């Protein structure tokens, strides 16, 4: 395999998907983030910690401007990170993935990874807007979230190994994973924080977050599949002259 | 008389170094966007980086949007 080409197409796919993900967030999650932070501001005014006025608003707009300005860059970085994980798994599993076209293969793998390392953990530990989340529990919540992603992802790999070894009734591997992850889902502690924000805000944000992240997985898979099909980094051509 | 022919060789082996590099990009990217609380900038700025948390604020909106616990 051509290493440099392989690296380049994986990173370009991930970065491009991430940048698109970042731009999409300006119309999907960003309005909810603004609403949630405005609720935090309201609480500050009511408690007397801050006073609303031009001075506060100037500082606030500056602060929010910095946060918003990072959306696309952070999207690109996160896209490269997720794209790298996807590239590793794709390179190792490509030959056994069904499909004639590379895009068929990347879409199938992306769907499986989206479900196991994003959607299942998301259902247990859903995204939350600002105003939800006690700073005292952020380490615990981070550990729980990452652990669930790792357990679900590694569980899927483990049950794939079982799937390969089964001579018949391969569906047992899928059922086994479903039972395994259901047990983990129940056993894992819930998010310890109480949600006091309006639920229409929280649920709207969660839906937009899930949609936007799903776009990242889709776009990354489409671009990687298209680039792999075009450049074929796993094929080496050599001229032999007699 | 010389003859030229092209032979296409398909190599199945995935380069380990490339996988390691991608693994590092994955880990670093995830940390920067999802978990940094001033750690990276503290290497250059010292303890004040944990107060300023510039990187955390820069990735703040994406952190929420992508589902990471933020604060």
């Amino acid at each position: 395999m051509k290493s440099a080409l392989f690296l380049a197409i994986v990173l370009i796919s991930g970065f491009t998907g991430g940048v698109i993900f970042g731009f999409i967030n300006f119309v999907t999650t960003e309005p909810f983030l603004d609403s949630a932070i405005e609720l935090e501001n309201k609480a500050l005014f009511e408690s007397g910690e801050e006073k609303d006025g031009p001075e506060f608003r100037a500082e606030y707009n500056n602060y929010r401007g910095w946060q918003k300005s990072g959306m696309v860059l952070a999207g690109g970085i996160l896209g490269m990170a997720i794209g790298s994980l996807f590239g590793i798994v794709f390179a190792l599993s490509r030959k056994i993935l069904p499909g004639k076209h590379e895009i068929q293969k990347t879409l199938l793998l992306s769907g499986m990874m989206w479900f196991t390392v994003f959607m299942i953990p998301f259902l247990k530990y859903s995204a939350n807007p600002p105003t939800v989340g006690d700073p005292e529990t952020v380490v615990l919540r981070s550990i729980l979230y990452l652990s669930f992603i790792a357990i679900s992802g590694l569980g899927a790999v483990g049950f794939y190994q079982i799937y390969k070894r089964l001579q018949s009734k391969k569906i047992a591997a899928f059922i086994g994973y479903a039972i395994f992850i259901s047990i983990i889902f129940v056993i894992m502690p819930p998010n310890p924080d109480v949600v006091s924000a309006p639920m229409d805000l929280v649920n709207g944000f969660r839906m937009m977050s899930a949609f936007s992240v799903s776009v990242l997985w889709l776009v990354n898979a489409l671009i990687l599949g298209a680039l792999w099909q075009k450049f074929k980094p796993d094929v080496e051509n050599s001229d032999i002259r007699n | 008389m010389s003859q030229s022919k092209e032979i296409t060789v398909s190599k199945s082996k995935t380069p380990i170094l490339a996988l390691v590099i991608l693994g590092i990009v994955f880990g670093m990217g995830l940390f920067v966007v999802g978990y940094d609380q001033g750690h990276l900038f503290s290497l250059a700025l010292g303890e004040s980086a944990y107060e300023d948390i510039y990187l955390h604020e820069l990735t703040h909106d994406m952190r929420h949007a992508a589902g990471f616990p933020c604060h």
Side-chain angles (χ1 to χ4, degrees), chain A residues 30 64 67 128 209 236, chain B residues 5 9 57 61 64-65 71:
Chain A
E30 201 64 77
R64 283 296 292 144
Q67 289 185 330
N128 281 318
S209 168
E236 294 194 7
Chain B
K5 63 179 177 183
V9 182
E57 297 298 354
D61 286 15
H64 280 282
H71 45 68

Side-chain angles (χ1 to χ4, degrees), chain A residues 1 3 6-7 10-11 21-22 25 29-30 33 63-64 66-71 73-75 77-78 80-81 84-85 88 91-92 95 127-130 132-133 135 138 141-142 145-146 205 209 213 234-242, chain B residues 1-35 37 41 52-71:
Chain A
M1 186 182 286
S3 298
F6 166 60
L7 280 173
V10 167
L11 294 176
F21 172 46
N25 274 303
T29 58
E30 201 64 77
L33 291 171
Y63 167 77
R64 283 296 292 144
W66 173 250
Q67 289 185 330
K68 288 184 184 185
S69 70
M71 185 65 103
L73 175 63
I77 296 170
L78 184 63
M80 274 202 296
S84 294
L85 177 66
I88 292 170
L92 296 175
K95 290 206 162 193
N128 281 318
V132 179
V138 69
R141 284 182 284 126
S142 298
Y145 185 56
L146 263 191
F205 174 77
S209 168
V213 176
D234 57 320
V235 174
E236 294 194 7
N237 297 323
S238 55
D239 283 337
I240 298 177
R241 293 174 188 282
N242 296 320
Chain B
M1 192 171 121
S2 74
Q3 208 176 358
S4 177
K5 63 179 177 183
E6 185 179 273
I7 295 178
T8 300
V9 182
S10 181
K11 296 194 173 180
S12 61
K13 209 166 183 182
T14 307
I16 300 296
L17 180 62
L19 297 183
V20 170
I21 291 170
L22 290 179
I24 292 169
V25 173
F26 168 65
M28 285 297 292
L30 204 65
F31 181 78
V32 166
V33 177
Y35 297 98
Q37 300 284 2
F41 279 17
D52 300 327
I53 52 171
Y54 287 124
L55 203 51
H56 172 107
E57 297 298 354
L58 189 68
T59 62
H60 172 271
D61 286 15
M62 175 52 71
R63 201 171 281 207
H64 280 282
F68 293 101
C70 187
H71 45 68

Side-chain angles (χ1 to χ4, degrees), chain A residues 36-61:
Chain A
I37 293 172
E38 203 50 55
L39 283 177
E40 287 183 331
N41 289 342
K42 199 176 165 192
L44 287 175
F45 304 146
E46 286 173 358
S47 69
E49 274 186 73
E50 293 285 352
K51 192 179 174 190
D52 199 2
E55 195 182 335
F56 175 84
R57 287 294 160 186
E59 193 182 334
Y60 170 76
N61 290 335

